Coordinates of all heavy atoms in Angstrom, one line a residue:
K17 N -7.5 11.5 1.6 CA -8.8 11.0 1.6 C -9.0 10.0 2.8 O -8.3 9.0 2.8 CB -9.2 10.3 0.3 CG -10.7 10.0 0.2 CD -11.1 9.5 -1.2 CE -12.6 9.3 -1.3 NZ -13.0 8.8 -2.7
H19 N -11.6 7.6 5.1 CA -12.8 6.8 5.1 C -13.3 6.5 6.5 O -12.5 6.1 7.4 CB -12.6 5.5 4.3 CG -12.2 5.7 2.9 ND1 -13.1 5.9 1.9 CD2 -11.0 5.7 2.3 CE1 -12.5 6.0 0.7 NE2 -11.2 5.9 1.0
H132 N -9.7 3.8 7.3 CA -8.4 4.0 6.7 C -8.4 5.2 5.9 O -9.4 5.9 5.8 CB -8.1 2.8 5.8 CG -8.9 2.6 4.6 ND1 -10.2 2.1 4.6 CD2 -8.7 3.0 3.3 CE1 -10.7 2.2 3.4 NE2 -9.8 2.6 2.6
E134 N -6.1 7.4 2.4 CA -5.2 7.3 1.3 C -4.5 8.6 1.1 O -5.1 9.7 1.1 CB -5.9 6.9 0.0 CG -6.5 5.5 0.1 CD -7.4 5.2 -1.2 OE1 -7.8 6.2 -1.8 OE2 -7.7 4.0 -1.4
D187 N -12.4 -4.6 1.7 CA -12.9 -3.2 1.7 C -12.7 -2.7 0.3 O -11.6 -2.6 -0.2 CB -12.1 -2.4 2.7 CG -12.7 -1.1 3.0 OD1 -13.4 -0.5 2.1 OD2 -12.6 -0.6 4.1
A188 N -13.8 -2.2 -0.3 CA -13.8 -1.7 -1.7 C -13.8 -0.2 -1.8 O -13.9 0.3 -2.9 CB -15.0 -2.3 -2.5
R189 N -13.7 0.5 -0.7 CA -13.7 1.9 -0.7 C -12.4 2.5 -1.1 O -11.3 2.1 -0.6 CB -14.2 2.5 0.7 CG -15.6 2.1 1.0 CD -16.0 2.6 2.4 NE -15.2 1.8 3.4 CZ -15.2 2.1 4.7 NH1 -15.9 3.2 5.1 NH2 -14.4 1.4 5.5
G190 N -12.4 3.6 -1.9 CA -11.2 4.2 -2.3 C -10.6 3.6 -3.5 O -11.2 2.8 -4.2
T191 N -9.4 4.1 -3.9 CA -8.7 3.6 -5.1 C -8.0 2.3 -4.8 O -8.0 1.4 -5.7 CB -7.7 4.7 -5.6 OG1 -8.4 5.9 -5.8 CG2 -7.0 4.2 -6.8
L192 N -7.5 2.2 -3.6 CA -6.8 1.0 -3.2 C -7.7 0.1 -2.5 O -8.1 0.3 -1.4 CB -5.6 1.3 -2.3 CG -4.4 2.0 -2.9 CD1 -3.3 2.2 -1.9 CD2 -3.8 1.2 -4.1
L193 N -8.1 -1.0 -3.2 CA -9.0 -2.0 -2.5 C -8.2 -2.9 -1.6 O -7.0 -3.2 -1.9 CB -9.7 -2.9 -3.6 CG -10.4 -2.2 -4.8 CD1 -11.0 -3.2 -5.7 CD2 -11.4 -1.2 -4.3
K211 N -7.6 -0.4 -8.1 CA -8.6 -0.7 -9.0 C -8.5 0.0 -10.4 O -9.1 -0.4 -11.4 CB -10.0 -0.4 -8.4 CG -10.3 1.1 -8.2 CD -11.7 1.2 -7.5 CE -12.0 2.7 -7.3 NZ -13.3 2.9 -6.6

Side-chain angles (χ1 to χ4, degrees):
K17 187 172 186 179
H19 300 276
H132 66 282
E134 293 173 343
D187 196 330
R189 292 174 297 172
T191 302
L192 290 182
L193 309 184
K211 67 181 183 184

